[in-house]
Every structure is written in structure tokens, then in C-alpha cells.
Amino acid sequence: MPPVEPAPPASTPEPVPTPVPPEPPKPATAALSGITPAAPRPFTDEAALRALAAFRISCPSVVRRPDTSGLTQGEDWRAACDQARLVPNTAADAKRFFETGFAWVKVGSEPAFATGYWEPEILGSRVPGPGYALPIYRTPPDLVRCTRADGTTGRGRLDETGQCVPYWTRGEVYDGALAGRGLELAYAADPVDMFFLEIQGSGRLRLPDGSVMRIGYDNQNGREYVGVGRVLRDRGILPPGGADMDSIKRWMRAQPDGGMSLMRENLSKIFFKELTGPGPLGALGLPVTARGTVATDPMFVPLGAPVWLDMVTNDADGLWVAQDTGGAIKGANRFDTFWGAGEEARRIAGGMSSKGEALLLLPRVSVDRLLSQRAFAQP
């Protein structure tokens, strides 16, 4: 019997390395986009006085608030804020403060683009009733910041398994996703008017007894903002340049569903709180200033920073202060100017859509630090 050769040892499979997930890209910020020093530009006496008043309002928050743009630190603003309290309330002194007290810079390279917003007034009621059927919701308690399966963090809700999932869309809220939970703050008479009040972020409800209830932004569902004007332009329904607010409203009201299907395409949904003091309130939690406050992307503009605008259409030219944000206000050099309340504010803001130039006014210590870091990083 021939000898039996031993079986070869079983081969051990090579261990499969665990894939390392790629590092998520850093979010775009002004510090990464770069700054270019600029000379001070002209602005009117009225713009200087409004900007000074708005800047003073922002100072208590600015000196302690983290700056997500990476351009400044809270303490950088202290000298300018201390000086602002001492500036006499004259146009000449206000202009001198902004011209000499800050470093003027441009962020990035693209042109500026400005729109406008205002505080609208619509019909509403604190209780449901005939003609007042559309709920205006408070922030739901299950709207939380959580980490999704793909590793990203943002607004969402936890489902029955504890998994972080996107929050309800506008359409799902319209269909009753929040009904019966006691979240109704008030009720609107007209869905189209309420839709545009959401875009503005705050507004006034004229109640059946003639009194006014003021409401303001409190939270957002974390879903994508879709501009309905762009949707109508892209589909050739309204011509380029013809998709202003009044044209969009007329088109929506002419539809069999009152424009509801178009509104559903904007997945974003705003939740409100009642405002009982001065306001409306901006992203700093402080009152905004008519013709003095501008909404910006805080990844590119420090909240509280003065902003100089020069647009092709001249209404928005002058000095503003970054005191607010907006779901559609994204990227460097994107601005939304606040015009207050009333028909003139509605007319100007509703027609505001213009390109131009924008400069930020920053503490000199911030700009010196940024330029020093840039010089050190260059080979």
C-alpha cells in the first residue's frame, strides 16, 4: 500500500482590510475662499446712521458668538463695539467710524447678488374657523439634530427604530403629518399668502377683531429650499425676469388647486413663534432694522459684520449689517436686504433682484491675522 501523502494545509485567506471612509470635505467658508483688501467706498448719510444703529444692536451678541465663516473671533469685535457706543449720532461721525474703524475686504471672486425681503401682513386667526383653515405650526419637539446613516448630521427625526431620518416635507405637513399634536400657533386664511410669508421668515397676522399678531421664524425642517420662481422660469411658464412675486401669486391662484402642487415642490417648511417685543427678530435673536439689516450666509459673512453693497439697480446701495440668515441665502456674496413693513417695503423688496459688488467691513486685527496666515502658508 503506497504511503498516503499528507493533505496540503488549507490556505488561510488574506484578511480583507476594512475600508476607511473618505474624510468628508470641509464645508466652504469665507476663510477658505480667501479675502482681498479693498479701499472704503462711498455711502450716504442715511445709510451710515442706520448701519450704526444696527451695529450697536448686534454688538452684545457679536463679541461672544462663534463665527462660522472663520474670518473673525468674538474678541476681535470688542474695540469696534466699544467705539460704536461713543460715536455721536451725526452722519459725519457715523461715516468716519465705518470708513476708518474697519478693514474693507472682498470675499471670493464672484459678483454679489442681492434680493429683498420685508415683513408682510396677511389675514389670520388664533383659532380655526370658517376661512381660517391652514395651520401655522410651532417647532415640533421631534425635530432634532441627529446623525444620519450616511454619517452626515442635520435636522431630522428619529423613526420608530431610533434611526435618524429626514423630517417631514412641506407636502407631508400639508397632508397632516403634524395634525392633532397641539402644535398650531395660529391659522392663515390664504395658503398662497402664508407661503410667501414663510419665505420672508416673519410677518403680521391681521386677526378678525382687527388686532395684529406678529410671528417670526423659529426653526426649519432641514429639507431642501426650492425657489418656485425658478421652477416656473425653467419650465417656460413665466419668462426670465417675469417671475416676480406678484406674477407668481397670480399664476398660483389661477390653478385649479390654488398653486398647492407648486408649493409642495419647495420641500422646506418653516416653523414659527409669536413675537411679543420689538421685531421681527433676526438670526442673532435681536430686532432687525428696516433698510439696515441684510441676511447672509454665515459661512461667508460674520453675523454682525457691516456690509457695503453697490447693485446695478440702486435701491440696495449703501451700508447694511448682517443680522439675519435665510434658507435660500447660500454662498459668498449672496445677500437679502430687509425693507421693513408696508406697501413701499413690499414693492421694493418684491422687485429686488440685482447683481453688483459687495465688501465686508471687518476688524483690522482679524484681517491682519488672515493675511499673516495666508503669507505663512505660501511656499
Side-chain angles (χ1 to χ4, degrees):
M1 182 174 184
V4 178
E5 295 201 15
S11 60
T12 303
E14 292 288 329
V16 178
T18 303
V20 178
E23 185 177 344
K26 292 182 179 179
T29 64
L32 295 177
S33 299
I35 60 170
T36 304
R41 304 290 206 270
F43 49 93
T44 66
D45 293 351
E46 292 80 4
L49 289 169
R50 282 194 298 266
L52 179 60
F55 184 72
R56 286 168 171 163
I57 290 172
S58 296
C59 273
S61 177
V62 167
V63 296
R64 65 175 186 270
R65 183 185 179 91
D67 177 8
T68 54
S69 76
L71 292 177
T72 69
Q73 298 170 10
E75 277 301 310
D76 295 351
W77 293 98
R78 191 168 298 279
C81 285
D82 289 345
Q83 181 62 29
R85 289 199 299 269
L86 304 176
V87 175
N89 291 317
T90 69
D93 289 297
K95 293 180 81 169
R96 189 178 306 112
F97 170 70
F98 289 112
E99 289 168 345
T100 64
F102 297 87
W104 293 51
V105 301
K106 179 176 174 60
V107 174
S109 58
E110 67 266 32
F113 179 64
T115 49
Y117 70 112
W118 75 104
E119 187 182 21
E121 182 175 300
I122 68 173
L123 297 178
S125 172
R126 291 184 180 273
V127 296
Y132 299 98
L134 181 70
I136 302 169
Y137 286 112
R138 301 179 178 87
T139 297
D142 62 341
L143 174 60
V144 296
R145 291 191 67 84
C146 52
T147 301
R148 307 180 187 95
D150 62 3
T152 60
T153 300
R155 294 181 179 94
R157 62 184 179 87
L158 303 180
D159 66 11
E160 59 277 1
T161 69
Q163 191 96 347
C164 177
V165 296
Y167 204 74
W168 306 115
T169 65
R170 171 182 297 277
E172 289 168 329
V173 172
Y174 284 163
D175 290 338
L178 300 180
R181 295 174 54 182
L183 297 172
E184 294 84 1
L185 178 67
Y187 297 81
D190 187 317
V192 173
D193 284 344
M194 186 62 215
F195 179 82
F196 281 91
L197 187 149
E198 276 195 49
I199 293 174
Q200 302 308 309
S202 62
R204 307 176 183 202
L205 303 181
R206 180 65 64 176
L207 304 179
D209 64 1
S211 63
V212 171
M213 175 184 180
R214 298 179 64 247
I215 59 174
Y217 174 96
D218 190 48
N219 216 326
Q220 189 257 359
N221 64 348
R223 305 302 291 266
E224 179 188 2
Y225 176 88
V226 177
V228 296
R230 175 171 293 181
V231 170
L232 295 179
R233 288 194 302 269
D234 290 347
R235 294 175 183 170
I237 297 172
L238 292 177
D244 59 23
M245 184 194 65
D246 289 337
S247 298
I248 297 169
K249 280 188 170 184
R250 284 194 296 270
W251 185 88
M252 293 168 80
R253 295 188 197 284
Q255 306 312 302
D257 67 349
M260 193 63 72
S261 59
L262 178 64
M263 289 186 270
R264 288 170 178 267
E265 296 201 40
N266 179 13
L267 305 184
S268 172
K269 189 78 178 73
I270 303 300
F271 302 108
F272 290 89
K273 60 186 175 184
E274 183 172 2
L275 302 178
T276 56
L281 302 180
L284 291 170
L286 299 168
V288 293
T289 302
R291 302 176 183 244
T293 291
V294 64
T296 63
D297 184 342
M299 299 300 285
F300 293 89
V301 179
L303 281 170
V307 176
W308 177 86
L309 297 180
D310 182 17
M311 297 290 107
V312 173
T313 55
N314 297 325
D315 285 332
D317 290 358
L319 275 184
W320 302 76
V321 176
Q323 295 177 304
D324 209 355
T325 60
I329 313 305
K330 299 298 180 186
N333 297 304
R334 175 69 174 93
F335 303 95
D336 201 22
T337 51
F338 177 62
W339 295 89
E343 180 55 30
E344 184 181 24
R346 188 202 72 83
R347 177 184 59 79
I348 296 174
M352 174 65 62
S353 179
S354 184
K355 290 184 177 181
E357 183 184 16
L359 298 176
L360 306 188
L361 282 64
L362 302 178
R364 294 188 185 280
V365 64
S366 304
V367 174
D368 289 345
R369 181 174 59 245
L370 292 165
L371 296 179
S372 174
Q373 291 169 349
R374 184 167 73 187
F376 181 77
Q378 290 175 347

